Amino acid sequence: MGMEEWIKEQQRRYLDEPRLKELTEVMKQIRKFVREKEYRKLTELVRRYRKSEDVITQVACLLSNSHLFPTPEKTVETDRSELMTALKNTYFMEKNGCWLADVNPEKADSVHGMLAMHTFMRDAYLKVYPESKQERPSPEEVRSSVRILDFHRKESDVWELCNLAVYLMPPSRYVALRYGLADDYDRLDRLHRSGPEPAYDEGVALESRLCRNAEKAAESIGDVRLPDFYLEKLNGELENLGRIAASPDAVHDILHISPDFLTKYGIDKNASATERSCQAEKAYRELDARFVRMTGRRPYADEFFAFLRHGKEKVAEVDRPRPVHKPILRNPPSKGRKMGI
């Protein structure tokens, strides 16, 4: 900042910024209004101090951590919409930028994150209710909001998606909408609320599809380490797929093999043993390839199924008629690395 700009800024601060005592009192009011969700009063305060960068900075920072836009329906409520309009008409927003398309995601701050969430949720609402009289954000602004949110929320998004995949924990509405899970999750929720005995088969199918799609979304997010509980769960499923490939009757092990597991991996317990084994092998190979991408470990599938085929050939040889001879005892081969069985 040059001398001329510095002088102008000092003049502006002298005219527009509240003194310390007033600012301290205003900050107490801001925290109270945000905590108690008194958005109309907060809007009045924002309009009163629209030229103050200090006051609006505090408002924006507190709001960005308050989950102001938890759902599309909440986002378009009058008091929240008026608050965002008031914030956009401030010196602070003029200085920091109101157009998301002009913001580099890596340089976006918490204020831009709040604007991005507001834009995303408004667009989601107007997709469902196009008859609304509210102005719809431009496609460019919506794309920019997604870029900003993807960059700054990727760790929390992965955590939510993995908890949904493993424990069926409800995701935030943003995550459900962003990753295309909202319709299935809403259907499952309605099914669970419909009565004490929801349609079992439909529920299993929905849970399996939600799980698969949540896994796909989580694994598509780059530069984020997947949580241990997620990898451990998938490793257990890899082991079960190996069990079924080796012994197709394992599908009837109700203690370790659940119906939703079979549905998830496309295994028909009523098919022939050969078909079940082939279905399990296909699923094993696909999951093994995912592990290679997720963790960088070496693939196990070829070695594992070669071991299975070798074992079956040995059994077949034992069953063949052969001359009687004294058996030669050998040391058992090393078990080596455990690979899903």
Side-chain angles (χ1 to χ4, degrees), residues 82-99:
E82 289 179 350
L83 175 57
M84 286 305 300
T85 300
L87 278 169
K88 288 180 179 180
N89 292 327
T90 61
Y91 169 77
F92 173 83
M93 299 301 283
E94 179 184 337
K95 180 179 177 180
N96 288 277
C98 293
W99 298 105

Side-chain angles (χ1 to χ4, degrees), residues 222-254:
D223 302 321
V224 179
R225 185 182 184 279
L226 293 163
D228 290 342
F229 72 83
Y230 177 77
L231 296 175
E232 289 168 3
K233 188 249 189 182
L234 290 184
N235 187 64
E237 294 185 350
L238 189 70
E239 293 183 4
N240 281 334
L241 290 170
R243 286 184 60 210
I244 297 171
S247 178
D249 285 343
V251 296
H252 303 297
D253 178 5
I254 60 175

Side-chain angles (χ1 to χ4, degrees), residues 103-116:
V103 178
N104 183 331
E106 295 184 12
K107 296 181 179 179
D109 56 23
S110 58
V111 180
H112 294 121
M114 179 178 64
L115 279 173

Side-chain angles (χ1 to χ4, degrees), residues 314-327:
K314 288 293 184 182
V315 171
E317 290 176 4
V318 170
D319 289 341
R320 292 175 194 154
R322 62 183 61 207
V324 177
H325 64 279
K326 185 177 180 180

Side-chain angles (χ1 to χ4, degrees), residues 280-339:
E281 178 176 350
K282 178 177 181 293
Y284 185 106
R285 289 185 178 278
E286 291 173 354
L287 183 53
D288 182 61
R290 284 167 56 192
F291 262 106
V292 173
R293 292 193 297 271
M294 289 186 292
T295 67
R297 68 154 170 79
R298 66 180 180 83
Y300 292 166
D302 288 344
E303 183 180 347
F304 173 67
F305 288 106
F307 170 78
L308 281 188
R309 285 191 292 272
H310 181 71
K312 290 177 181 178
E313 290 168 0
K314 288 293 184 182
V315 171
E317 290 176 4
V318 170
D319 289 341
R320 292 175 194 154
R322 62 183 61 207
V324 177
H325 64 279
K326 185 177 180 180
I328 301 174
L329 300 179
R330 300 179 184 274
N331 290 327
S334 170
K335 291 183 179 179
R337 186 190 293 263
K338 186 177 184 182
M339 294 185 295

